[in-house]
Amino acid sequence: MRIVIAGGHGRIALRLERLLAGRGDEVAGVVRRPAHAGDLLAAGAEPVVCDLESATVGDLVRHLESADAAVFAAGAGPGSGIGRKDTVDRGAAALFADAAEAAGVRRFVVVSSMGADREPPEGTDPVFAAYLRAKGAADADVRSRAGLDWTILRPGRLTDDPGTGLVRLAESTGRGEVTRDDVAAVLAALLAEPGTAGRTLELVGGDTPVAEAVKSVA
């Protein structure tokens, strides 16, 4: 497969790129900064320099035309304000989905967040609340698109601990942590399992091997 990943320099995306390249897929990562190209090359991915906040659908279509699947793993990141939560976590997701549809790329996987399906509780940090609302709006937009075979993955609290290869993957898992290694492994498995299209899934650490967990929800 050829897979294009938006947010290609993210901590999950770089892990995913290594996994996909390692199994023989062709991977391209969309990045905003040319300085990040070396890290993508080291992960086995082709760097595509394109700013999702200023790009047009046409800009992205050129990079997606030969793809078999697309992954939205971009985010405004820590330190960004409320405005960029909307322009990146929501707006860029919609733009990437528009481009995938225009390029005829049906398989579309989104890295979302647990809690994006409900209004943030009273007292939530305003920036984090804006992030959750942006993710929820992006998810709803993607789910409304008949032209995409979408899967939305909502991990729990992310850690940089070594992956265990053991997870809990379901429509509702309850709160919990999950390593970025294991999120990347689940994303790679989802891309290889078209039977997970049309599913919104939560992910936390658990006791089921990744391949078995993905097969069980297909």
Side-chain angles (χ1 to χ4, degrees), residues 91-154:
L95 177 73
F96 200 57
D98 285 342
E101 286 187 308
V105 181
R106 290 198 62 92
R107 191 70 176 111
F108 195 86
V109 177
V110 176
V111 183
S112 184
S113 174
M114 192 174 288
D117 58 345
R118 62 187 72 94
E119 180 63 15
E122 187 176 347
T124 301
D125 172 78
V127 176
F128 187 63
Y131 165 77
L132 291 175
R133 292 187 185 107
K135 282 294 190 186
D139 293 353
D141 175 77
V142 168
R143 286 196 298 247
S144 73
R145 295 173 184 259
L148 298 177
D149 296 327
W150 52 265
T151 304
I152 294 169
L153 184 65
R154 290 175 167 170

Side-chain angles (χ1 to χ4, degrees), residues 65-92:
E65 280 176 331
S66 61
D68 300 293
V71 178
F72 185 80
S80 58
I82 289 174
R84 293 198 69 228
K85 301 305 182 190
D86 183 68
T87 58
V88 179
D89 293 282
R90 184 203 57 78

Side-chain angles (χ1 to χ4, degrees), residues 24-102:
D25 290 324
E26 183 182 344
V27 192
V30 179
V31 296
R32 184 165 57 97
R33 298 178 181 173
H36 290 159
D39 291 335
L40 269 71
L41 291 169
E46 169 198 346
V48 173
V49 179
C50 181
D51 186 344
L52 294 173
E53 290 180 273
S54 60
T56 65
V57 170
D59 293 334
L60 287 169
V61 166
R62 292 198 300 272
H63 304 301
L64 284 161
E65 280 176 331
S66 61
D68 300 293
V71 178
F72 185 80
S80 58
I82 289 174
R84 293 198 69 228
K85 301 305 182 190
D86 183 68
T87 58
V88 179
D89 293 282
R90 184 203 57 78
L95 177 73
F96 200 57
D98 285 342
E101 286 187 308

